[in-house]
Amino acid sequence: MTDTPARVLTDDELDLLELALGGALAPADLAAALPGVPPEVVLTDAENTPLARLTSGPSAAVEPLKPLAAAIGPQWDDAVRRPARDVRTDLGAGADEVGLLVTEPPTREDVETAAALATGPGGGTVLLLVPVARRAPEPGAVGAAGLVRAAQALAGDLADRTGARVVTVAVPWPGADRTAVSLADVAGAYGARRAEPLAARRSPATADAVAGLARVREEAVAALYPPASAAEVNRATRSAHRRGAVVFFTGLSGSGKSTVARALAAELDDDGLRTTLLDGDAVRHHLSKGLGFDRASRELNVERIGYVAALVAEHGGIAVAAPIAPFASGRARVRELAEAAGAHYLLVHVSTPLEVCEARDRKGLYARARAGEIPDFTGISSPYEEPADADVVVDTSHVPVEEAVRTVRTALAARLGEEDLGRPGHP
């Protein structure tokens, strides 16, 4: 495998790989969606974990190597995030399942439409197919977690009203522009004999009302105030923002810091907070590409992350960063940058012991470091200076990810002065 070229996948491409591994996307279609890949390539995530080997050409195939990293949230629940082949097998042959594509939160009219479809011909089993993306939603848009929650509520309502068997499935989906295969084609791979985009069946009145939601507040302001006052109220609303925050994770490779950071960022995004994730390996591929792993390079990498995080926080966002950050001086510089930007700062030490990190190593880096193949490897041939000023300390060897996220959220809420931020599902 070491001689095979590698391709680091984006979040959208990871969605496509998950579809292919689950049997919803042909290997040839996956290859076509990855322009420039050689005839044989190892597909990795941003942490360089080898996930699959893709072979293109007439005998196109995709071979799984390592499990894809998962996060927390309803869209990652094993009960709904199931491979297409498993869903198809569970449904069985010969049925005429209707697949409802839940691409937006269902309106009241959508609920009635779904009920009519569930009781119509072939409505004995209803598949609620919810496209979910790894990437963060556009500002103001309902994200993957919220969409799944809304779909699950619809599923319960349909089952109660119609007696139909309703199956909710979270479908990894980066968007139609990433592949020539349509969402309807993917729905067929999950077992739907026909696919109905629920939002497409809305009446013009409902469609117009949904599209005009953004205008409602401006119209209300215009009705309450004379034009000059309305302009000032709207201007103040557009410019208002909360004090931002930098949540900075540090810990050994394999400690679980990236997993907790990703889960935290996803929850904060789901709560409508503007959150930017700066994961250590992803940053290395872009912001710090070309830097080495000597002390000076590591310090520069951490400072660059801190600078970008401070910019995000300065404009009211929340930056979640998860590099190894082995040296106290580098972490102190990040704190300094955040505080100079007027942002809150939270240092989270993921204190998982070295032996646990080695045992979990998905990429074999510790073994290579102990064999002398990787110089300057933190914890083996390069020191890790444990922080004495951490605001939160979690050890993922005995603390589940969900509990670690809850602990960090509670600490962040205290900094922001918002009690409800520590509670998942905060509106």
Side-chain angles (χ1 to χ4, degrees):
M1 189 171 68
T2 55
D3 296 330
T4 305
R7 165 77 173 256
V8 179
L9 300 182
T10 64
D11 283 345
D12 285 350
E13 291 165 349
L14 285 170
D15 288 334
L16 294 176
L17 174 60
E18 187 177 351
L19 284 173
L21 291 172
L25 187 68
D29 291 323
L30 174 62
L34 303 174
V37 295
E40 184 176 350
V41 62
V42 171
L43 305 176
T44 81
D45 58 17
E47 297 180 356
N48 290 315
T49 303
L51 303 174
R53 187 194 308 272
L54 175 64
T55 305
S56 306
S59 301
V62 59
E63 172 196 356
L65 299 175
K66 297 279 188 181
L68 276 69
I72 61 173
Q75 74 274 34
W76 292 99
D77 189 334
D78 290 342
V80 297
R81 200 178 188 107
R82 301 168 59 199
R85 65 173 63 88
D86 291 355
V87 176
R88 195 169 58 243
T89 299
D90 182 51
L91 294 174
D96 186 22
E97 291 81 9
V98 59
L100 301 182
L101 305 179
V102 185
T103 57
E104 300 178 29
T107 64
R108 295 183 185 276
E109 183 182 20
D110 294 340
V111 174
E112 298 303 322
T113 299
L117 290 169
T119 54
T125 299
V126 179
L127 276 176
L128 295 184
L129 298 162
V130 189
V132 298
R134 281 173 166 79
R135 69 170 180 262
E138 295 295 323
V142 174
L147 201 56
V148 170
R149 284 193 295 266
Q152 289 173 321
L154 173 60
D157 187 271
L158 288 180
D160 290 342
R161 291 176 57 177
T162 69
R165 179 193 181 197
V166 185
V167 179
T168 305
V169 181
V171 179
W173 183 247
D177 57 332
R178 292 313 313 264
T179 176
V181 178
S182 70
L183 188 54
D185 293 331
V186 171
Y190 277 84
R193 303 303 190 265
R194 65 190 193 280
E196 298 279 356
L198 201 51
R201 284 179 164 260
R202 290 172 180 167
S203 66
T206 297
D208 288 346
V210 171
L213 282 176
R215 299 193 303 270
V216 171
R217 185 185 183 282
E218 288 190 6
E219 291 172 356
V221 169
L224 283 170
Y225 297 98
S229 297
E232 296 305 326
V233 170
N234 285 327
R235 191 195 320 277
T237 300
R238 287 192 297 270
S239 63
H241 67 264
R242 67 196 303 145
R243 185 180 174 191
V246 174
V247 184
F248 194 84
F249 287 79
T250 177
L252 295 171
S253 176
S255 62
K257 62 186 181 302
S258 293
T259 301
V260 178
R262 280 195 302 266
L264 173 69
E267 281 201 3
L268 295 176
D269 255 337
D270 185 39
D271 287 349
L273 302 173
R274 293 171 294 176
T275 307
T276 300
L277 176 63
L278 300 168
D279 192 19
D281 288 304
V283 167
R284 276 277 179 180
H285 285 297
H286 302 287
L287 187 64
S288 295
K289 189 173 184 178
L291 285 183
F293 289 89
D294 57 280
R295 178 161 186 147
S297 295
R298 285 170 180 260
E299 294 280 59
L300 180 56
N301 175 56
V302 169
E303 182 169 359
R304 287 178 179 178
I305 293 172
Y307 175 72
V308 174
L311 287 179
V312 170
E314 185 177 14
H315 294 281
I318 297 178
V320 178
I324 292 175
F327 304 118
S329 56
R331 297 189 297 261
R333 178 61 177 149
V334 175
R335 184 186 291 273
E336 179 184 309
L337 288 167
E339 292 175 348
H344 297 285
Y345 181 78
L346 195 74
L347 179 62
V348 181
H349 177 206
V350 183
S351 61
T352 309
L354 175 61
E355 59 272 18
V356 176
C357 297
E358 281 198 74
R360 301 178 165 163
D361 187 16
R362 300 170 70 206
K363 296 175 279 187
L365 298 179
Y366 279 100
R368 292 177 59 199
R370 289 200 180 277
E373 298 176 14
I374 304 178
D376 298 317
F377 192 86
T378 302
I380 304 298
S381 51
S382 182
Y384 177 78
E385 300 172 358
E386 292 201 2
D389 58 342
D391 302 291
V392 178
V393 179
V394 291
D395 178 352
T396 63
S397 64
H398 59 78
V399 173
V401 172
E402 293 85 349
E403 184 179 337
V405 171
R406 193 159 49 244
T407 299
V408 178
R409 282 176 66 98
T410 300
L412 180 59
R415 289 295 166 86
L416 297 177
E418 300 181 20
E419 294 180 1
D420 287 342
L421 185 61
R423 172 175 53 83
H426 169 59

PDB file of all heavy atoms in Angstrom, residues 216-233:
ATOM      1  N   VAL A 216     -39.845  38.412   6.513  1.00  0.00           N
ATOM      2  CA  VAL A 216     -40.883  38.674   7.498  1.00  0.00           C
ATOM      3  C   VAL A 216     -40.440  39.707   8.518  1.00  0.00           C
ATOM      4  O   VAL A 216     -41.175  40.657   8.827  1.00  0.00           O
ATOM      5  CB  VAL A 216     -41.296  37.363   8.201  1.00  0.00           C
ATOM      6  CG1 VAL A 216     -42.200  37.652   9.380  1.00  0.00           C
ATOM      7  CG2 VAL A 216     -41.995  36.444   7.206  1.00  0.00           C
ATOM      8  N   ARG A 217     -39.225  39.562   9.034  1.00  0.00           N
ATOM      9  CA  ARG A 217     -38.766  40.503  10.053  1.00  0.00           C
ATOM     10  C   ARG A 217     -38.651  41.917   9.490  1.00  0.00           C
ATOM     11  O   ARG A 217     -39.067  42.884  10.142  1.00  0.00           O
ATOM     12  CB  ARG A 217     -37.422  40.063  10.638  1.00  0.00           C
ATOM     13  CG  ARG A 217     -36.983  40.956  11.795  1.00  0.00           C
ATOM     14  CD  ARG A 217     -35.604  40.647  12.328  1.00  0.00           C
ATOM     15  NE  ARG A 217     -35.308  41.487  13.470  1.00  0.00           N
ATOM     16  CZ  ARG A 217     -34.932  42.771  13.379  1.00  0.00           C
ATOM     17  NH1 ARG A 217     -34.790  43.328  12.198  1.00  0.00           N
ATOM     18  NH2 ARG A 217     -34.700  43.491  14.472  1.00  0.00           N
ATOM     19  N   GLU A 218     -38.070  42.048   8.290  1.00  0.00           N
ATOM     20  CA  GLU A 218     -37.912  43.380   7.703  1.00  0.00           C
ATOM     21  C   GLU A 218     -39.274  44.040   7.477  1.00  0.00           C
ATOM     22  O   GLU A 218     -39.428  45.247   7.669  1.00  0.00           O
ATOM     23  CB  GLU A 218     -37.129  43.286   6.397  1.00  0.00           C
ATOM     24  CG  GLU A 218     -35.656  42.971   6.601  1.00  0.00           C
ATOM     25  CD  GLU A 218     -34.844  43.111   5.317  1.00  0.00           C
ATOM     26  OE1 GLU A 218     -35.434  43.558   4.306  1.00  0.00           O
ATOM     27  OE2 GLU A 218     -33.653  42.778   5.332  1.00  0.00           O
ATOM     28  N   GLU A 219     -40.259  43.237   7.075  1.00  0.00           N
ATOM     29  CA  GLU A 219     -41.591  43.794   6.871  1.00  0.00           C
ATOM     30  C   GLU A 219     -42.193  44.241   8.191  1.00  0.00           C
ATOM     31  O   GLU A 219     -42.874  45.284   8.262  1.00  0.00           O
ATOM     32  CB  GLU A 219     -42.488  42.759   6.186  1.00  0.00           C
ATOM     33  CG  GLU A 219     -42.084  42.496   4.735  1.00  0.00           C
ATOM     34  CD  GLU A 219     -42.841  41.331   4.120  1.00  0.00           C
ATOM     35  OE1 GLU A 219     -43.616  40.682   4.860  1.00  0.00           O
ATOM     36  OE2 GLU A 219     -42.671  41.079   2.912  1.00  0.00           O
ATOM     37  N   ALA A 220     -41.948  43.452   9.264  1.00  0.00           N
ATOM     38  CA  ALA A 220     -42.458  43.826  10.579  1.00  0.00           C
ATOM     39  C   ALA A 220     -41.798  45.115  11.064  1.00  0.00           C
ATOM     40  O   ALA A 220     -42.464  45.989  11.632  1.00  0.00           O
ATOM     41  CB  ALA A 220     -42.216  42.698  11.569  1.00  0.00           C
ATOM     42  N   VAL A 221     -40.495  45.235  10.838  1.00  0.00           N
ATOM     43  CA  VAL A 221     -39.781  46.459  11.227  1.00  0.00           C
ATOM     44  C   VAL A 221     -40.313  47.644  10.445  1.00  0.00           C
ATOM     45  O   VAL A 221     -40.538  48.734  10.999  1.00  0.00           O
ATOM     46  CB  VAL A 221     -38.261  46.280  11.008  1.00  0.00           C
ATOM     47  CG1 VAL A 221     -37.534  47.619  11.141  1.00  0.00           C
ATOM     48  CG2 VAL A 221     -37.698  45.268  11.992  1.00  0.00           C
ATOM     49  N   ALA A 222     -40.555  47.451   9.152  1.00  0.00           N
ATOM     50  CA  ALA A 222     -41.064  48.550   8.314  1.00  0.00           C
ATOM     51  C   ALA A 222     -42.451  48.993   8.768  1.00  0.00           C
ATOM     52  O   ALA A 222     -42.802  50.181   8.661  1.00  0.00           O
ATOM     53  CB  ALA A 222     -41.100  48.103   6.858  1.00  0.00           C
ATOM     54  N   ALA A 223     -43.244  48.049   9.277  1.00  0.00           N
ATOM     55  CA  ALA A 223     -44.580  48.405   9.745  1.00  0.00           C
ATOM     56  C   ALA A 223     -44.533  49.154  11.075  1.00  0.00           C
ATOM     57  O   ALA A 223     -45.417  49.966  11.368  1.00  0.00           O
ATOM     58  CB  ALA A 223     -45.436  47.148   9.883  1.00  0.00           C
ATOM     59  N   LEU A 224     -43.525  48.890  11.885  1.00  0.00           N
ATOM     60  CA  LEU A 224     -43.430  49.499  13.211  1.00  0.00           C
ATOM     61  C   LEU A 224     -42.760  50.865  13.205  1.00  0.00           C
ATOM     62  O   LEU A 224     -43.076  51.730  14.033  1.00  0.00           O
ATOM     63  CB  LEU A 224     -42.644  48.575  14.147  1.00  0.00           C
ATOM     64  CG  LEU A 224     -43.383  47.353  14.701  1.00  0.00           C
ATOM     65  CD1 LEU A 224     -42.409  46.419  15.393  1.00  0.00           C
ATOM     66  CD2 LEU A 224     -44.473  47.796  15.681  1.00  0.00           C
ATOM     67  N   TYR A 225     -41.804  51.074  12.293  1.00  0.00           N
ATOM     68  CA  TYR A 225     -40.964  52.273  12.339  1.00  0.00           C
ATOM     69  C   TYR A 225     -41.098  53.096  11.055  1.00  0.00           C
ATOM     70  O   TYR A 225     -41.350  52.536   9.975  1.00  0.00           O
ATOM     71  CB  TYR A 225     -39.482  51.872  12.479  1.00  0.00           C
ATOM     72  CG  TYR A 225     -39.135  51.145  13.755  1.00  0.00           C
ATOM     73  CD1 TYR A 225     -39.042  49.752  13.785  1.00  0.00           C
ATOM     74  CD2 TYR A 225     -38.879  51.849  14.928  1.00  0.00           C
ATOM     75  CE1 TYR A 225     -38.707  49.075  14.947  1.00  0.00           C
ATOM     76  CE2 TYR A 225     -38.544  51.179  16.102  1.00  0.00           C
ATOM     77  CZ  TYR A 225     -38.460  49.796  16.100  1.00  0.00           C
ATOM     78  OH  TYR A 225     -38.124  49.140  17.257  1.00  0.00           O
ATOM     79  N   PRO A 226     -40.879  54.407  11.166  1.00  0.00           N
ATOM     80  CA  PRO A 226     -40.749  55.209   9.946  1.00  0.00           C
ATOM     81  C   PRO A 226     -39.455  54.830   9.225  1.00  0.00           C
ATOM     82  O   PRO A 226     -38.560  54.219   9.823  1.00  0.00           O
ATOM     83  CB  PRO A 226     -40.710  56.649  10.473  1.00  0.00           C
ATOM     84  CG  PRO A 226     -40.231  56.525  11.873  1.00  0.00           C
ATOM     85  CD  PRO A 226     -40.757  55.217  12.384  1.00  0.00           C
ATOM     86  N   PRO A 227     -39.318  55.152   7.949  1.00  0.00           N
ATOM     87  CA  PRO A 227     -38.190  54.651   7.153  1.00  0.00           C
ATOM     88  C   PRO A 227     -36.816  54.882   7.759  1.00  0.00           C
ATOM     89  O   PRO A 227     -35.985  53.973   7.776  1.00  0.00           O
ATOM     90  CB  PRO A 227     -38.347  55.398   5.826  1.00  0.00           C
ATOM     91  CG  PRO A 227     -39.813  55.650   5.719  1.00  0.00           C
ATOM     92  CD  PRO A 227     -40.279  55.910   7.121  1.00  0.00           C
ATOM     93  N   ALA A 228     -36.552  56.098   8.276  1.00  0.00           N
ATOM     94  CA  ALA A 228     -35.214  56.364   8.815  1.00  0.00           C
ATOM     95  C   ALA A 228     -34.927  55.487  10.025  1.00  0.00           C
ATOM     96  O   ALA A 228     -33.832  54.922  10.167  1.00  0.00           O
ATOM     97  CB  ALA A 228     -35.083  57.845   9.184  1.00  0.00           C
ATOM     98  N   SER A 229     -35.920  55.337  10.914  1.00  0.00           N
ATOM     99  CA  SER A 229     -35.725  54.489  12.095  1.00  0.00           C
ATOM    100  C   SER A 229     -35.582  53.025  11.700  1.00  0.00           C
ATOM    101  O   SER A 229     -34.751  52.293  12.257  1.00  0.00           O
ATOM    102  CB  SER A 229     -36.905  54.656  13.054  1.00  0.00           C
ATOM    103  OG  SER A 229     -36.983  55.974  13.537  1.00  0.00           O
ATOM    104  N   ALA A 230     -36.387  52.575  10.744  1.00  0.00           N
ATOM    105  CA  ALA A 230     -36.315  51.183  10.282  1.00  0.00           C
ATOM    106  C   ALA A 230     -34.935  50.874   9.734  1.00  0.00           C
ATOM    107  O   ALA A 230     -34.375  49.794   9.983  1.00  0.00           O
ATOM    108  CB  ALA A 230     -37.384  50.916   9.228  1.00  0.00           C
ATOM    109  N   ALA A 231     -34.365  51.830   8.980  1.00  0.00           N
ATOM    110  CA  ALA A 231     -33.039  51.614   8.412  1.00  0.00           C
ATOM    111  C   ALA A 231     -32.007  51.440   9.512  1.00  0.00           C
ATOM    112  O   ALA A 231     -31.105  50.596   9.414  1.00  0.00           O
ATOM    113  CB  ALA A 231     -32.660  52.782   7.504  1.00  0.00           C
ATOM    114  N   GLU A 232     -32.122  52.229  10.593  1.00  0.00           N
ATOM    115  CA  GLU A 232     -31.154  52.125  11.676  1.00  0.00           C
ATOM    116  C   GLU A 232     -31.327  50.822  12.467  1.00  0.00           C
ATOM    117  O   GLU A 232     -30.344  50.199  12.881  1.00  0.00           O
ATOM    118  CB  GLU A 232     -31.282  53.330  12.616  1.00  0.00           C
ATOM    119  CG  GLU A 232     -30.953  54.668  11.963  1.00  0.00           C
ATOM    120  CD  GLU A 232     -29.573  54.666  11.328  1.00  0.00           C
ATOM    121  OE1 GLU A 232     -28.646  54.006  11.861  1.00  0.00           O
ATOM    122  OE2 GLU A 232     -29.414  55.316  10.275  1.00  0.00           O
ATOM    123  N   VAL A 233     -32.572  50.391  12.690  1.00  0.00           N
ATOM    124  CA  VAL A 233     -32.822  49.129  13.396  1.00  0.00           C
ATOM    125  C   VAL A 233     -32.259  47.960  12.595  1.00  0.00           C
ATOM    126  O   VAL A 233     -31.595  47.066  13.140  1.00  0.00           O
ATOM    127  CB  VAL A 233     -34.331  48.949  13.654  1.00  0.00           C
ATOM    128  CG1 VAL A 233     -34.621  47.531  14.165  1.00  0.00           C
ATOM    129  CG2 VAL A 233     -34.820  49.981  14.672  1.00  0.00           C
TER     130      VAL A 233
END
